[in-house]
Amino acid sequence: MKKLPVVSRITIITIGMLVHIFLASMVNTVWQDRHVLNHFAYVPLVLAAVWFGKKAVWLALVPGMVPLVLAALGVGHEPLWNDAIRGTFYVAVTFIAGVISDRSRGLRSMARQTKQHLMVAEAKHQELSDMAKEQAAMLAHSSRLAEMGEMAAAMAHELNQPLTGIRNYAGNALYMLEENAGSIDEIKENLELVNQQVDRAAKIIAQMRSLARRAEIDLEPVQINSIIRETLEFLDSQMRLAGVEVVKNLDESLPLVQGDRIRLWQVFMNVAVNARQAMENCENRQLTVTTRYEPDHELPVVIIFKDTGPGFDSGEKLFEPFFTTKAPGKGTGLGLSISHAILHEHQGRIEASNDGGAVFTIRLPHQE
Ligand code: ADP
């Protein structure tokens, strides 16, 4: 509600007081009537108490004193004690109304302050949560860079393969042309193989570049199976070098998921690389990646990474940032906590269990 300016308030109270004094003087003194028009004084007095608090008591002295002055001048109509009691009532009522008004003003200002504090706290909370998001994105970025470092050697090997292939197939084709040794179909076949190897190398480079880019989360309909295939293809030589057999059990009826390709790729990479590292000292090294659709579950898209490693002891700690059991310099302890955060961003989740090795189960909602 709009507040009345102080000048308007004083004007209203003054008019009220003048009306009261005029009426009271006319009725009681001039017309010698016993009408109780004196009560009209409470209107400006209570208004003044509401607006100005206890200070309005001074105003109550005005209508309280007027009859006494009139009585002193010998024009009073009521007995003197009557005027004195009336004046006392004016002062008492104004005082009580003033106290109540001051209290309620205090309460109102407390409520206002509390509201302001709440607003400040809310703004602070928003700021902190923005900062936390920013930090999480930076952390994910640095973990990707760390993964890139670890993969650099594997990548050199990975790129070496298509390059060797290209040299061989191109050499074959050249030889056939120079020596007139092969049919057109054979030459064509070799050139097609060169093409395939170039595509493969380009794909590897593109993956590394997108991994290095610091991207905002970019949700789009994605096929989980295809991201898993890309991840496993990327890790193919790494897994072969480590003697890990990779088994794929991919459900082709898996629906699309609203997801960020690069980030999901980062999660699968991390879980698969962890499995490879966990099985380093094992005889039997197998990583089984299963996808399946569970339509009755609230998060129906399921991805399972199961290895034949030693499993883990402290399941609840795995997803904590900086928890690692790897030798210094080998693990950052961030991979799983970042994967957890990424899946949270996707309204999904990741859980770990032991079942003859470690099992990481990822669940995601399907696209609406
Ligand atoms: P880092 O790999 O850098 O240690 P992670 O957050 O990816 O960080 O993993 C945290 C820890 O979880 C690992 O140090 C390891 O103890 C445990 N862990 C992860 N994956 C496996 C697995 N497949 N088998 C056994 N332990 C695992």
Side-chain angles (χ1 to χ4, degrees):
M1 206 170 71
K2 227 176 140 234
K3 262 173 114 178
L4 223 52
V6 175
V7 181
S8 311
R9 294 179 184 190
I10 291 175
T11 314
I12 291 172
I13 293 164
T14 312
I15 293 172
M17 292 299 290
L18 290 176
V19 168
H20 160 69
I21 290 168
F22 174 74
L23 286 178
S25 308
M26 293 304 280
V27 172
N28 292 348
T29 315
V30 182
W31 298 323
Q32 304 276 303
D33 193 335
R34 291 186 64 86
H35 264 94
V36 283
L37 275 171
N38 297 312
H39 295 317
F40 185 81
Y42 289 116
V43 176
L45 287 179
V46 170
L47 259 185
V50 167
W51 283 335
F52 301 113
K54 280 191 301 237
K55 282 188 284 236
V57 164
W58 293 106
L59 194 75
L61 295 178
V62 179
M65 296 299 282
V66 170
L68 294 178
V69 172
L70 290 178
L73 293 175
V75 286
H77 170 67
E78 306 266 345
L80 198 59
W81 61 267
N82 228 348
D83 292 334
I85 289 178
R86 197 184 306 127
T88 311
F89 265 109
Y90 287 160
V91 172
V93 168
T94 313
F95 179 75
I96 292 167
V99 168
I100 294 172
S101 159
D102 283 347
R103 284 272 161 86
S104 87
R105 218 188 320 266
L107 285 176
R108 271 207 304 273
S109 103
M110 253 170 72
R112 233 185 342 262
Q113 271 179 13
T114 313
K115 203 168 151 196
Q116 269 169 4
H117 286 150
L118 274 175
M119 274 159 65
V120 170
E122 210 166 286
K124 203 86 206 148
H125 178 255
Q126 186 59 37
E127 195 183 310
L128 286 174
S129 94
D130 288 351
M131 261 169 71
K133 269 192 202 140
E134 174 92 347
Q135 303 270 3
M138 275 164 63
L139 211 56
H141 178 57
S142 25
S143 130
R144 284 202 292 274
L145 293 181
E147 273 164 28
M148 275 175 68
E150 213 211 83
M151 277 185 286
M155 209 189 75
H157 180 89
E158 188 83 19
L159 277 178
N160 219 14
Q161 268 193 339
L163 287 176
T164 313
I166 290 167
R167 197 173 54 198
N168 289 343
Y169 299 130
N172 286 349
L174 207 60
Y175 174 81
M176 288 174 191
L177 282 173
E178 278 172 1
E179 302 295 323
N180 232 345
S183 65
I184 290 286
D185 280 347
E186 279 172 318
I187 296 170
K188 215 173 129 196
E189 192 187 325
N190 274 285
L191 290 177
E192 265 162 13
L193 287 168
V194 168
N195 238 345
Q196 277 176 21
Q197 295 302 315
V198 169
D199 283 350
R200 177 148 186 233
K203 207 166 171 184
I204 294 167
I205 291 166
Q207 292 273 33
M208 284 306 274
R209 280 178 56 192
S210 55
L211 190 62
R213 215 175 41 228
R214 183 179 189 280
E216 290 292 305
I217 185 156
D218 182 15
L219 297 176
E220 55 175 350
V222 291
Q223 270 184 351
I224 291 295
N225 284 349
S226 101
I227 305 178
I228 287 182
R229 280 199 187 93
E230 276 174 37
T231 313
L232 296 178
E233 202 176 297
F234 191 86
L235 292 174
D236 184 46
S237 65
Q238 200 183 118
M239 291 296 183
R240 266 187 291 125
L241 273 178
V244 175
E245 184 198 353
V246 179
V247 180
K248 283 178 273 187
N249 262 331
L250 306 183
D251 176 354
E252 295 309 331
S253 69
L254 215 58
L256 291 175
V257 160
Q258 194 66 14
D260 181 315
R261 243 192 132 66
I262 302 292
R263 292 188 189 212
L264 290 176
W265 193 73
Q266 188 179 355
V267 171
F268 303 151
M269 281 288 283
N270 180 57
V271 177
V273 171
N274 273 348
R276 193 227 346 116
Q277 290 173 330
M279 292 187 287
E280 253 160 27
N281 300 320
C282 296
E283 282 272 304
N284 175 25
R285 297 172 201 167
Q286 195 180 62
L287 171 64
T288 310
V289 186
T290 308
T291 57
R292 64 167 178 259
Y293 182 50
E294 292 179 4
D296 294 334
H297 200 285
E298 52 160 351
L299 298 172
V301 177
V302 190
I303 308 126
I304 301 166
F305 287 77
K306 180 175 180 343
D307 64 48
T308 52
F312 48 84
D313 301 327
S314 37
E316 70 288 355
K317 281 200 177 152
L318 297 191
F319 299 100
E320 282 178 13
F322 305 111
F323 172 80
T324 180
T325 54
K326 292 173 191 166
K330 277 220 150 185
T332 56
L334 289 176
L336 284 180
S337 71
I338 288 171
S339 300
H340 186 271
I342 291 175
L343 289 164
H344 185 71
E345 279 176 333
H346 285 76
Q347 268 92 50
R349 62 169 182 253
I350 177 167
E351 279 159 9
S353 58
N354 283 308
D355 180 13
V359 182
F360 284 85
T361 306
I362 294 166
R363 284 188 172 273
L364 287 164
H366 69 64
Q367 195 203 358
E368 291 300 310

